[in-house]
Amino acid sequence: MSRTRTALLAAMALVAGATGTAFAVDPGGAEVAAVPCTVDYKIQNQWSTGFTAAVTVTNNSAAKSSWSLKWSYAGNQKVTSGWNAKLSQSGAAVTAANESYNAQLANGGSVSFGFQGSYSGSNAIPATFTLDGVTCNVDSGGPGGPTDPPDPGGPANRVNNPYDGAKVYVNPEWSEKAAAEPGGSRVSNQPTGVWLDRTAAVNGAGGKMGLRAHLDEALRQKGSGELVVQLVIYNLPGRDCSALASNGELGPTEIDRYKTEYIDPIKTILADSKYSSLRIVTTVEIDSLPNLVTNTGSRPTAVPQCDVMKANGNYVKGVGYALNKLGDVPNVYNYVDAGHHGWIGWDDNFGPTATIMKEAATAEGATVNDVHGFITNTANYSALKEDNFTINDTVAGKSVRESKWLDWNRYVDELSYAQAFRNQLVSSGFNSNIGMLIDTSRNGWGGTARPTGPGATTSVDTYVDGGRYDRRFNGGNWCNQSGAGLGERPQAAPAAGIDAYVWMKPPGESDGASKAIPNDEGKGFDRMCDPTYTGNPRNNHNMSGALADAPLSGHWFSAQFRQLMQNAYPPLS
């Protein structure tokens, strides 16, 4: 529930302290003084003892090289934290001053910031704002404002790490399949992601639970504590542009269908107050934005379909729209997919990928505040931690970066990559408190073939290949990998900068069919899932390493699940 008063009404009165007064005409024809500045103060989210607010200041006077906005509260409100401004409070008086990066405020220009606060009793909108000592008008509203009563039973405040102190939803459909496998009961109670990989999945397709059914079950599992529900948002137009076959239902130009038929219905369901007590984590559009960096232009890895998606902007628009709409729901935590180290870890991919993510996070009305964090290794196999060599090792006079496996990559494993990429994202303009998730569902690489120490020092290749846990032919291989095992079990806050290890990809669900299978799910045959395929530039022309006899993506693959249990690391007891 949200309502705003228009700035026009306030602009129809002469504001005290205005200098160089200009004049406008109101709808009735009367000449009125234009205000020197306007303030849009919205309460975005309110609960019993706290709230979050968004403030936009528009300067209608001479350009400024710095600015300071001040207001006073009539009640017991207290600013506790903020972003995009330096906020301080003395008694009831609050001051918001510019950061170094948003100090310039042109004539007609606007600047936005936000904050979190606490309150008791009422939470009235401040009556007066001053910009550098000059009084502005107020465009106010939102829950708790003068035109709206507070929302009863409002959603809980976003926490820094949604996984802290919370259980995580166990998908009963996946759990039943896992438990039916020999030994599967050892992991069938683990939480996994719910994949919304086509429009029909939102309401339920093929006899499977829809989104509301999962959320209703999550409420049952929640009990009196906190519970996280993990959703994968995966249906962009022109999806998987670097794949060797179409894997999505929407064509490259169908951005409007993506918005109205897919994202909007998801947002409507998630915004239902019935589910406001859940912590809803979204993984937003895996395997999308990095393609615009690595698989376009004159690169050997370029694919015409990715050039199309870069040119039409629909990946950027789609991700921005999803972040904006889903980010409006106060108990939703958006995590954007950030590829994996075997894709983004090279110098010419690393910075540009963070830049394109910032572009998407500020498209279609989204802001960086709609991004709670990022997730790496989603549905992939990159080892969490390689213990037998480091990026700084030298063998036979050569850096390990010169090995065929690393091929000048700067990261040897997923943990080091996720932590470094987090820093890059902050440097690119994302909030400093963003957290990372790492999908460890299938990156254990245990079993009898797991190395117990470094490889021979004959060459950098014998050293790296003999010691690496990740036993793929190439780090670009992604489909139903032979020899893979379950990785670290889901856990909160396992390492610095990491919000959680998660099983976002449900182990045992196929990555894709190993041969063409007619279907009505929009899932084509990608030869990277064919065990006889000899590769392409994106996996450096290596064998695919895929298991044979795999079903369509998302369908249960019993042989794969049994292999994952057998090769689990840490081992299953």
Side-chain angles (χ1 to χ4, degrees), residues 46-367:
Q46 181 168 299
W47 56 103
S48 59
T49 60
F51 66 102
T52 58
V55 182
T56 298
V57 184
T58 301
N59 174 36
N60 298 319
S61 299
K64 299 175 181 292
S65 59
S66 64
W67 53 267
S68 176
L69 185 74
K70 296 184 178 182
W71 69 88
S72 291
Y73 283 121
N76 295 311
Q77 296 103 318
K78 177 71 175 177
V79 174
T80 56
S81 62
W83 47 92
N84 294 335
K86 298 173 182 174
L87 287 121
S88 59
Q89 184 168 353
S90 177
V94 179
T95 299
N98 63 269
E99 297 280 9
S100 59
Y101 54 81
N102 61 5
Q104 303 293 323
L105 190 52
N107 174 260
S110 298
V111 65
S112 298
F113 62 91
F115 63 91
Q116 180 175 311
S118 62
Y119 76 99
S120 60
S122 64
N123 186 21
I125 300 296
T128 304
F129 294 84
T130 62
L131 180 64
D132 297 332
V134 176
T135 304
C136 304
N137 71 300
V138 181
D139 176 15
S140 60
T147 58
D148 266 331
D151 283 344
N157 178 38
R158 285 195 186 100
V159 295
N160 185 53
N161 181 355
Y163 291 86
D164 272 344
K167 297 185 297 184
V168 187
Y169 175 65
V170 177
N171 180 346
E173 293 180 316
W174 176 83
S175 182
E176 181 180 8
K177 290 184 176 71
E181 298 286 352
S185 60
R186 293 174 294 175
V187 295
S188 59
N189 64 341
Q190 292 292 347
T192 55
V194 173
W195 286 57
L196 303 175
D197 61 354
R198 52 189 170 129
T199 299
V202 178
N203 291 323
K208 299 182 74 172
M209 296 167 67
L211 179 54
R212 280 194 181 275
H214 282 295
L215 296 176
D216 289 340
E217 170 62 15
L219 289 175
R220 189 194 68 78
Q221 292 184 21
K222 179 180 182 296
S224 60
E226 301 291 345
L227 185 130
V228 171
V229 178
Q230 302 174 128
L231 306 176
V232 178
I233 308 300
Y234 184 46
N235 198 30
L236 275 178
R239 195 181 77 188
D240 298 333
C241 65
S242 66
L244 302 179
S246 173
N247 283 316
E249 66 177 350
L250 299 177
T253 63
E254 294 186 291
I255 184 67
D256 291 336
R257 289 189 62 197
Y258 175 78
K259 293 177 178 180
T260 60
E261 297 177 24
Y262 180 69
I263 293 297
D264 289 353
I266 292 173
K267 190 246 177 105
T268 298
I269 294 171
L270 298 187
D272 189 330
S273 60
K274 178 181 182 181
Y275 306 121
S276 63
S277 65
L278 299 170
R279 297 177 181 178
I280 300 171
V281 164
T282 62
T283 290
V284 178
E285 293 298 353
I286 67 169
D287 294 345
S288 59
L289 296 174
N291 277 305
L292 304 182
V293 173
T294 66
N295 298 321
T296 56
S298 60
R299 294 191 180 209
T301 54
V303 180
Q305 293 90 332
C306 292
D307 284 321
V308 169
M309 299 318 299
K310 184 173 183 177
N312 68 24
N314 284 343
Y315 276 9
V316 168
K317 293 173 187 176
V319 171
Y321 189 84
L323 292 173
N324 179 24
K325 293 300 181 181
L326 303 181
D328 285 345
V329 183
N331 55 314
V332 166
Y333 298 77
N334 288 321
Y335 288 80
V336 179
D337 184 77
H340 56 89
H341 86 275
W343 185 4
I344 310 302
W346 284 271
D347 292 346
D348 55 349
N349 298 343
F350 198 73
T353 298
T355 298
I356 200 75
M357 289 180 176
K358 173 69 181 305
E359 181 182 343
T362 52
E364 298 290 309
T367 74

Side-chain angles (χ1 to χ4, degrees), residues 424-437:
Q424 181 68 36
L425 290 159
V426 172
S427 297
S428 299
F430 287 96
N431 294 332
S432 60
N433 62 345
I434 56 171
M436 306 297 286
L437 306 177

